[in-house]
Amino acid sequence: MFKRYIKPIVLRAITVAAAGALTLVWNPANAQWYAGASLGQSKMKDASSQLVGTSFEDTDTAFKVYGGYQFHRNVGVEFGYINFGTFKGSGSIGGTALSDNWKANGINVSAVGTWPLTNEFSLLGKLGLTRWSVDDKFSTTLTGPGSAKENGINLSYGIGAQYAFAKQWAGRAEYEVFTKVGKENTTGKSDIDVLSIGVVYKF
Protein backbone atom coordinates (compact mmCIF):
# COMPACT_ATOMS: atom_id res chain seq x y z
CA MET A 1 0.00 0.00 0.00
CA PHE A 2 2.80 2.42 0.97
CA LYS A 3 4.52 1.96 -2.40
CA ARG A 4 1.43 3.25 -4.21
CA TYR A 5 2.14 6.69 -2.78
CA ILE A 6 5.92 6.65 -3.24
CA LYS A 7 6.07 6.41 -7.03
CA PRO A 8 4.02 9.59 -7.66
CA ILE A 9 6.19 11.47 -5.17
CA VAL A 10 9.37 10.22 -6.85
CA LEU A 11 8.03 11.16 -10.29
CA ARG A 12 7.27 14.62 -8.95
CA ALA A 13 10.81 14.80 -7.60
CA ILE A 14 12.26 14.02 -11.02
CA THR A 15 9.91 16.49 -12.71
CA VAL A 16 11.04 19.26 -10.36
CA ALA A 17 14.67 18.21 -10.82
CA ALA A 18 14.33 18.30 -14.60
CA ALA A 19 12.57 21.66 -14.52
CA GLY A 20 15.24 23.03 -12.23
CA ALA A 21 17.97 21.76 -14.53
CA LEU A 22 16.35 23.41 -17.56
CA THR A 23 15.95 26.77 -15.82
CA LEU A 24 19.18 26.63 -13.84
CA VAL A 25 21.57 29.56 -13.96
CA TRP A 26 24.55 28.03 -12.23
CA ASN A 27 25.73 30.03 -9.24
CA PRO A 28 28.84 28.80 -7.39
CA ALA A 29 27.45 30.26 -4.17
CA ASN A 30 24.58 27.77 -4.29
CA ALA A 31 26.67 24.72 -5.15
CA GLN A 32 27.71 22.39 -2.34
CA TRP A 33 29.41 19.04 -1.84
CA TYR A 34 28.24 16.77 0.96
CA ALA A 35 28.90 13.33 2.45
CA GLY A 36 26.87 11.11 4.72
CA ALA A 37 26.30 7.75 6.35
CA SER A 38 23.07 5.98 7.29
CA LEU A 39 22.02 2.88 9.21
CA GLY A 40 18.69 1.09 9.05
CA GLN A 41 16.70 -2.02 8.25
CA SER A 42 16.46 -3.86 4.94
CA LYS A 43 13.71 -6.24 3.87
CA MET A 44 13.89 -8.84 1.09
CA LYS A 45 10.36 -8.72 -0.27
CA ASP A 46 10.32 -12.16 -1.93
CA ALA A 47 12.41 -14.20 0.49
CA SER A 48 9.79 -16.92 0.91
CA SER A 49 9.71 -17.68 -2.82
CA GLN A 50 13.37 -17.06 -3.70
CA LEU A 51 15.37 -18.61 -0.83
CA VAL A 52 15.89 -22.28 0.03
CA GLY A 53 14.01 -23.22 3.19
CA THR A 54 10.67 -23.32 4.94
CA SER A 55 11.24 -20.44 7.38
CA PHE A 56 12.92 -17.18 6.50
CA GLU A 57 14.74 -14.21 8.02
CA ASP A 58 13.76 -11.56 5.48
CA THR A 59 15.08 -8.50 7.36
CA ASP A 60 18.57 -7.44 8.39
CA THR A 61 20.64 -4.39 9.26
CA ALA A 62 21.62 -2.26 6.28
CA PHE A 63 24.14 0.56 6.10
CA LYS A 64 25.27 2.97 3.44
CA VAL A 65 27.82 5.70 2.82
CA TYR A 66 27.30 8.33 0.18
CA GLY A 67 28.38 11.64 -1.21
CA GLY A 68 26.76 14.16 -3.49
CA TYR A 69 26.84 17.49 -5.22
CA GLN A 70 23.95 19.92 -4.75
CA PHE A 71 24.39 22.20 -7.77
CA HIS A 72 21.03 23.95 -7.30
CA ARG A 73 18.70 24.34 -4.31
CA ASN A 74 16.29 21.85 -5.95
CA VAL A 75 18.64 19.62 -7.94
CA GLY A 76 21.56 17.36 -7.06
CA VAL A 77 23.26 14.09 -7.82
CA GLU A 78 24.33 11.45 -5.30
CA PHE A 79 26.70 8.45 -5.37
CA GLY A 80 26.89 5.77 -2.72
CA TYR A 81 27.62 2.26 -1.51
CA ILE A 82 24.99 0.20 0.32
CA ASN A 83 25.25 -3.11 2.15
CA PHE A 84 21.84 -4.78 2.31
CA GLY A 85 22.91 -7.41 4.84
CA THR A 86 22.22 -11.16 4.79
CA PHE A 87 18.86 -12.84 4.35
CA LYS A 88 18.45 -16.45 5.47
CA GLY A 89 16.37 -19.51 4.80
CA SER A 90 16.27 -22.67 6.92
CA GLY A 91 14.14 -25.69 7.74
CA SER A 92 13.59 -29.20 6.43
CA ILE A 93 11.35 -31.12 4.05
CA GLY A 94 10.90 -34.87 4.43
CA GLY A 95 13.96 -35.14 6.66
CA THR A 96 16.13 -33.11 4.25
CA ALA A 97 17.71 -30.12 6.00
CA LEU A 98 17.72 -26.84 4.07
CA SER A 99 19.72 -23.64 4.52
CA ASP A 100 20.39 -20.49 2.54
CA ASN A 101 22.49 -17.35 3.15
CA TRP A 102 21.84 -14.58 0.61
CA LYS A 103 24.12 -11.53 0.82
CA ALA A 104 23.80 -8.40 -1.30
CA ASN A 105 25.38 -4.97 -1.72
CA GLY A 106 25.33 -2.26 -4.34
CA ILE A 107 26.78 0.92 -5.80
CA ASN A 108 24.22 3.58 -6.57
CA VAL A 109 23.90 6.83 -8.51
CA SER A 110 20.73 8.92 -8.18
CA ALA A 111 19.23 12.22 -9.20
CA VAL A 112 17.97 13.99 -6.09
CA GLY A 113 15.13 16.49 -6.02
CA THR A 114 14.91 18.73 -2.93
CA TRP A 115 11.98 20.83 -1.70
CA PRO A 116 12.95 23.20 1.12
CA LEU A 117 9.92 23.76 3.37
CA THR A 118 11.84 25.96 5.81
CA ASN A 119 15.47 27.02 6.10
CA GLU A 120 16.16 23.85 8.11
CA PHE A 121 13.68 21.24 6.84
CA SER A 122 13.49 19.73 3.34
CA LEU A 123 11.77 16.85 1.58
CA LEU A 124 13.74 14.60 -0.78
CA GLY A 125 12.91 12.44 -3.80
CA LYS A 126 15.40 10.11 -5.49
CA LEU A 127 15.53 8.14 -8.73
CA GLY A 128 18.59 6.26 -9.90
CA LEU A 129 20.37 3.08 -10.88
CA THR A 130 22.07 0.54 -8.61
CA ARG A 131 24.74 -1.92 -9.65
CA TRP A 132 24.05 -4.78 -7.24
CA SER A 133 26.06 -7.88 -6.35
CA VAL A 134 24.58 -11.02 -4.78
CA ASP A 135 26.47 -13.91 -3.14
CA ASP A 136 24.16 -16.83 -2.41
CA LYS A 137 25.30 -19.90 -0.45
CA PHE A 138 22.77 -22.71 -0.02
CA SER A 139 22.79 -26.30 1.15
CA THR A 140 20.64 -29.41 1.51
CA THR A 141 21.59 -32.72 3.10
CA LEU A 142 20.46 -34.39 -0.12
CA THR A 143 22.56 -32.45 -2.64
CA GLY A 144 25.23 -30.88 -0.43
CA PRO A 145 26.43 -27.26 -0.54
CA GLY A 146 26.09 -24.96 -3.51
CA SER A 147 26.64 -21.31 -4.34
CA ALA A 148 25.89 -18.69 -6.96
CA LYS A 149 27.07 -15.14 -7.60
CA GLU A 150 25.43 -12.56 -9.83
CA ASN A 151 25.54 -8.84 -10.50
CA GLY A 152 23.48 -6.45 -12.54
CA ILE A 153 22.01 -2.96 -12.81
CA ASN A 154 18.43 -2.01 -11.97
CA LEU A 155 16.22 0.90 -10.95
CA SER A 156 16.10 2.35 -7.44
CA TYR A 157 13.94 5.11 -6.01
CA GLY A 158 13.01 6.64 -2.68
CA ILE A 159 11.69 9.50 -0.59
CA GLY A 160 13.04 11.15 2.52
CA ALA A 161 13.34 14.18 4.76
CA GLN A 162 16.34 16.15 5.97
CA TYR A 163 16.73 18.53 8.92
CA ALA A 164 19.72 20.87 9.28
CA PHE A 165 20.48 21.03 13.00
CA ALA A 166 23.73 22.99 12.49
CA LYS A 167 25.35 25.04 9.73
CA GLN A 168 27.19 22.05 8.23
CA TRP A 169 25.30 19.10 9.74
CA ALA A 170 21.92 17.59 8.96
CA GLY A 171 19.94 14.51 9.94
CA ARG A 172 18.31 12.45 7.21
CA ALA A 173 15.57 9.77 7.15
CA GLU A 174 14.84 7.78 3.96
CA TYR A 175 12.70 5.00 2.56
CA GLU A 176 14.20 3.43 -0.58
CA VAL A 177 13.30 0.59 -2.92
CA PHE A 178 15.98 -1.30 -4.87
CA THR A 179 14.28 -3.29 -7.62
CA LYS A 180 15.04 -6.74 -9.06
CA VAL A 181 18.19 -7.53 -7.09
CA GLY A 182 19.56 -10.95 -8.10
CA LYS A 183 18.84 -13.39 -10.96
CA GLU A 184 15.78 -15.59 -10.59
CA ASN A 185 17.32 -18.75 -12.12
CA THR A 186 20.55 -18.69 -10.10
CA THR A 187 20.57 -16.61 -6.90
CA GLY A 188 16.88 -15.76 -6.77
CA LYS A 189 15.58 -12.23 -7.37
CA SER A 190 13.73 -9.76 -5.16
CA ASP A 191 13.06 -6.09 -4.51
CA ILE A 192 14.75 -4.86 -1.35
CA ASP A 193 13.23 -2.10 0.79
CA VAL A 194 15.50 -0.04 3.05
CA LEU A 195 14.37 2.30 5.85
CA SER A 196 17.29 4.29 7.27
CA ILE A 197 18.38 7.28 9.34
CA GLY A 198 21.72 9.03 9.12
CA VAL A 199 23.77 12.21 9.23
CA VAL A 200 25.03 14.45 6.44
CA TYR A 201 28.03 16.77 6.51
CA LYS A 202 28.07 19.72 4.09
CA PHE A 203 31.47 20.94 2.97
Side-chain angles (χ1 to χ4, degrees):
M1 178 68 71
F2 189 49
K3 284 187 179 181
R4 290 174 54 189
Y5 300 97
I6 293 178
K7 289 184 180 180
I9 294 173
V10 172
L11 290 175
R12 185 182 175 191
I14 302 309
T15 300
V16 171
L22 289 174
T23 60
L24 177 65
V25 177
W26 185 75
N27 183 348
N30 294 329
Q32 191 167 46
W33 291 96
Y34 65 88
S38 296
L39 183 70
Q41 184 180 75
S42 57
K43 181 177 179 64
M44 185 180 183
K45 298 292 287 185
D46 300 310
S48 61
S49 63
Q50 299 298 309
L51 298 181
V52 175
T54 57
S55 64
F56 306 96
E57 297 178 28
D58 61 359
T59 61
D60 198 12
T61 300
F63 68 88
K64 63 177 185 173
V65 292
Y66 46 91
Y69 186 63
Q70 190 81 21
F71 54 86
H72 183 269
R73 70 191 299 269
N74 299 119
V75 187
V77 62
E78 189 170 290
F79 303 87
Y81 165 84
I82 183 165
N83 188 306
F84 297 109
T86 302
F87 308 102
K88 299 178 180 180
S90 61
S92 64
I93 297 177
T96 300
L98 311 171
S99 67
D100 200 342
N101 284 273
W102 197 93
K103 299 180 181 180
N105 59 69
I107 298 172
N108 172 266
V109 58
S110 295
V112 182
T114 304
W115 298 274
L117 300 182
T118 68
N119 288 335
E120 295 82 20
F121 185 74
S122 300
L123 299 180
L124 308 174
K126 300 170 71 173
L127 181 66
L129 295 173
T130 298
R131 186 186 188 280
W132 49 261
S133 296
V134 173
D135 184 0
D136 186 28
K137 291 182 171 61
F138 47 88
S139 177
T140 75
T141 52
L142 184 63
T143 62
S147 64
K149 293 184 179 182
E150 295 285 0
N151 56 70
I153 298 175
N154 285 100
L155 182 72
S156 57
Y157 57 91
I159 59 172
Q162 186 164 290
Y163 181 77
F165 56 85
K167 182 178 180 180
Q168 291 180 286
W169 291 95
R172 179 188 285 196
E174 294 180 280
Y175 176 81
E176 297 171 280
V177 180
F178 299 84
T179 66
K180 300 178 181 178
V181 179
K183 294 287 180 68
E184 190 163 3
N185 294 329
T186 52
T187 61
K189 179 176 68 176
S190 177
D191 290 358
I192 300 176
D193 296 351
V194 178
L195 183 64
S196 64
I197 58 173
V199 291
V200 175
Y201 179 78
K202 300 176 183 180
F203 294 98

